[in-house]
């Protein structure tokens, strides 16, 4: 099968994750990764035409599962960077150092802030991760 089909299978895996209303537990992503690797292991060269065709289909399934696993992993990383739910709609005082130049968008400006101190008026602490 053409290599372009492998890329399409990988993109379909990514698209499938974007259609989910909620992200499943981490075990699902690990299972997809292991399933994808298992599908790749089914590709054995120098066999008959039927086995080569089956190996090509296994590669497509492998790329699909790897796409699902990589998109799910990246989505979980993005969700882990969010502000904790308990701090939503709260007044916060944050002191920090702007690292690098601001990025100007059509409707906003973004910059990387290295937090030095943070005070919540509800006595909650801010995460120490980079806030973007």
């Amino acid at each position: 099968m053409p290599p372009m089909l492998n890329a399409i299978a990988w993109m379909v895996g990514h698209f499938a994750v974007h259609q989910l209303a909620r992200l499943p537990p981490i075990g699902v992503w690990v299972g997809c990764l292991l399933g994808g690797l298992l599908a790749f292991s089914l590709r054995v060269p120098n066999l008959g035409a039927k086995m080569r065709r089956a190996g090509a289909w296994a590669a497509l399934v492998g790329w699909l599962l790897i796409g699902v696993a990589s998109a799910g992993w990246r989505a979980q990383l993005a969700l882990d960077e969010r502000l904790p739910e308990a701090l939503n709609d709260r007044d916060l005082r944050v002191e920090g150092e702007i690292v690098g130049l601001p990025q100007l968008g059509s409707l906003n400006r973004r910059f990387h802030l290295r937090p030095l101190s943070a005070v919540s008026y509800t006595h909650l602490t801010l995460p120490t991760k980079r806030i973007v």
Side-chain angles (χ1 to χ4, degrees), residues 2-22:
M4 181 62 81
L5 288 179
N6 294 334
I8 290 172
W10 185 78
M11 287 187 286
V12 167
H14 270 259
F15 179 75
V17 171
H18 287 274
Q19 300 310 305
L20 297 175
R22 293 177 176 243

Side-chain angles (χ1 to χ4, degrees), residues 104-123:
L104 303 177
S106 61
L107 299 174
N108 61 5
R109 294 188 174 116
R110 296 177 58 124
F111 56 88
H112 293 286
L113 179 72
R114 181 181 304 133
L116 300 175
S117 68
V119 176
S120 169
Y121 296 105
T122 58
H123 306 293

Side-chain angles (χ1 to χ4, degrees), residues 48-112:
K50 276 188 177 179
M51 288 304 290
R52 270 189 299 228
R53 193 172 305 123
W57 283 106
L60 282 177
V61 170
W63 280 112
L64 177 85
L65 291 173
I66 297 287
V68 167
S70 66
W73 173 64
R74 294 294 300 162
Q76 190 61 54
L77 286 178
L79 286 177
D80 290 345
E81 295 269 328
R82 291 184 305 176
L83 192 65
E85 189 72 30
L87 294 177
N88 283 344
D89 298 324
R90 306 275 186 188
D91 291 331
L92 306 170
R93 180 174 174 214
V94 179
E95 293 181 14
E97 178 181 340
I98 295 176
V99 181
L101 296 174
Q103 300 167 354
L104 303 177
S106 61
L107 299 174
N108 61 5
R109 294 188 174 116
R110 296 177 58 124
F111 56 88
H112 293 286

Side-chain angles (χ1 to χ4, degrees), residues 32-54:
C32 286
L33 178 64
L34 293 175
L37 294 175
L38 177 65
F40 283 132
S41 72
L42 296 177
R43 295 186 66 199
V44 179
N46 301 327
L47 292 176
K50 276 188 177 179
M51 288 304 290
R52 270 189 299 228
R53 193 172 305 123

